Amino acid sequence: MDLLSVYGSEIPDFLREAAETDVMSRLRDVGMNCGCEYTNFPRFRNLIGYSRFDHSLGVALIVWRHTHDRVQAMSGLLHDVSTPVFSHVVDFLKNDHLKQEATEAGTEERIRSSEALLAVLEKHGLTVDSVKDYHAYPIADNDSPKLSADRLEYSLGNMLNYRFADLDTVRRLYRDICVGQNECGEAELMFARAECAFEFAEHALSCARVYVSDEDRYGMQHLAELLRGALESGVIGTEDLDGTEPVIIEKLMANPLTAEQWRRFCALHRMEVSHEVEQTGDWKKIFAKKRCIDPYVKGQGRVSKLNTDFAQKLHAFQTNSQDYWVRGR
């Protein structure tokens, strides 16, 4: 991903040093697309490499640009430090996929486990308590459907990755971002111009549809079941979930049964849908968390209040039922 040129190629020393530590380097081998990038589904099979490391550094640079606050920027950098392999697949594994909070557990513990990271924090006058929870800083994170650095970064990244927009478009939209007060009097990342907010909102909604598409939901559930079986049979251990994807794939491939299961997962290329009352076999009814963004235009209001067409599309997305059967082939 070539997004550093969008957010700013100059990385402050305190962020660069933290990014080079062991716990952050691990995220280079944890993908943003929750294992779906290993499948042969048309949407996912030709994705550009996009890791949790790329995302985390992008969030940090966005926060830094708009706050120049070291605590908030570091908190943004470290917000995904405990993310397991295949990201939100582990939420499915732990039956937490409707809230998707399981992947955030252990952030403080992971920070404290790294002597290198603790040394960087101390060097730059930062404490673990001040950077362990990015939810405390509304520019870094806030409640959906508001815009934060976290949502902004993965939306811009996936707009580019899914080819909904090119790099020039992403750069233009990012340049319009500013900080202002929203309708609740809170600080929020927002757009200076309505036309940019409208364009971003449409692209972000297109990304949101991908996040809960049949392919994405089925792929994550399928991979979660594969991992559950591998854990129960001892092919992998729970500690492997906190490692890297190349290592866990190597372990899966070393066992004849899980190797075949992994190959079948990677071969998934199309979906079938059924609205019958009940299906058996490998049919699954899968519900997933819907992510959406309704950005604010400075001095004007939310896009849904300013653009009737977008408001209708957003409502249709939010109310669209997942109550049907799917299976992958």
Side-chain angles (χ1 to χ4, degrees):
M1 299 291 286
D2 190 24
L3 283 170
L4 282 187
S5 65
V6 174
Y7 306 138
S9 57
E10 291 296 323
I11 303 174
D13 287 346
F14 74 100
L15 290 178
R16 177 182 51 77
E17 292 168 15
E20 292 172 352
T21 61
D22 50 351
V23 291
M24 282 301 302
S25 294
R26 180 187 72 88
L27 297 181
R28 295 181 186 274
D29 289 311
V30 177
M32 281 293 288
N33 278 277
C34 305
C36 291
E37 61 267 46
Y38 295 99
T39 69
N40 205 33
F41 289 125
R43 170 65 67 194
F44 297 108
R45 66 187 173 200
N46 293 315
L47 292 185
I48 306 165
Y50 184 25
S51 71
R52 286 280 161 181
F53 180 89
D54 300 326
H55 167 64
S56 298
L57 185 54
V59 170
L61 292 174
I62 292 170
V63 174
W64 178 245
R65 174 179 177 178
H66 292 284
T67 68
H68 284 284
D69 185 299
R70 291 190 176 199
V71 170
Q72 294 186 50
M74 184 66 76
S75 185
L77 179 71
L78 301 177
H79 80 282
D80 270 350
V81 73
S82 64
T83 299
V85 295
F86 309 120
S87 299
H88 291 297
V89 167
V90 174
D91 291 322
F92 280 78
L93 180 64
K94 297 182 177 181
N95 296 314
D96 183 49
H97 50 283
L98 293 180
K99 293 183 178 180
Q100 294 192 350
E101 296 172 345
T103 52
E104 295 182 7
T107 299
E108 180 179 359
E109 180 181 356
R110 188 60 69 93
I111 293 171
R112 293 190 185 278
S113 72
S114 172
E115 293 183 4
L117 180 55
L118 291 175
V120 172
L121 295 180
E122 182 178 5
K123 175 182 177 181
H124 294 282
L126 303 173
T127 66
V128 174
D129 286 341
S130 68
V131 302
K132 68 182 181 181
D133 184 10
Y134 82 131
H135 300 298
Y137 308 110
I139 300 303
D141 184 62
N142 50 29
D143 293 332
S144 177
K146 291 181 283 189
L147 186 61
S148 64
D150 184 21
R151 294 189 192 93
L152 176 62
E153 201 294 319
Y154 70 63
S155 296
L156 294 176
N158 281 321
M159 283 163 49
L160 188 62
N161 212 0
Y162 300 151
R163 296 174 177 81
F164 294 146
D166 58 24
L167 189 60
D168 287 339
T169 299
V170 168
R171 183 178 289 110
R172 174 173 51 80
L173 293 177
Y174 182 63
R175 286 174 178 167
D176 200 62
I177 291 289
C178 60
V179 175
Q181 283 194 336
N182 62 23
E183 66 271 44
C184 299
E186 302 165 335
E188 182 179 345
L189 291 179
M190 55 186 63
F191 286 88
R193 296 180 295 171
E195 58 267 30
C196 288
F198 294 172
E199 186 177 359
F200 172 85
E202 289 282 354
H203 288 315
L205 185 56
S206 294
C207 289
R209 294 188 184 106
V210 174
Y211 305 153
V212 293
S213 65
D214 295 342
E215 294 88 346
D216 194 279
R217 294 181 356 261
Y218 184 87
M220 286 196 286
Q221 181 64 44
H222 187 112
L223 183 51
E225 292 174 4
L226 193 166
L227 294 178
R228 183 177 293 113
L231 285 165
E232 291 172 351
S233 63
V235 173
I236 60 173
T238 55
E239 69 280 0
D240 291 315
L241 299 178
D242 294 322
T244 65
E245 289 169 14
V247 169
I248 205 168
I249 292 169
E250 182 180 1
K251 290 191 174 185
L252 293 174
M253 291 301 293
N255 177 277
L257 177 59
T258 54
E260 178 56 29
Q261 292 171 339
W262 175 255
R263 283 192 288 266
R264 287 204 299 269
F265 169 74
C266 293
L268 291 172
H269 63 283
R270 65 182 177 87
M271 292 300 301
E272 296 178 350
V273 174
S274 174
H275 294 276
E276 298 296 327
V277 175
E278 185 174 0
Q279 291 287 359
T280 58
D282 54 357
W283 288 94
K284 304 180 189 300
K285 187 177 286 189
I286 307 167
F287 300 92
K289 176 181 178 179
K290 293 182 179 179
R291 300 171 178 269
C292 58
I293 303 172
D294 186 5
Y296 201 89
V297 181
K298 191 171 186 178
Q300 298 184 50
R302 302 242 166 241
V303 170
S304 63
K305 301 297 183 183
L306 304 173
N307 187 313
T308 303
D309 181 57
F310 174 75
Q312 293 173 344
K313 292 177 181 177
L314 181 61
H315 177 73
F317 170 74
Q318 292 171 321
T319 57
N320 186 48
S321 175
Q322 298 172 342
D323 190 16
Y324 55 90
W325 300 89
V326 295
R327 68 177 177 183
R329 287 290 181 262

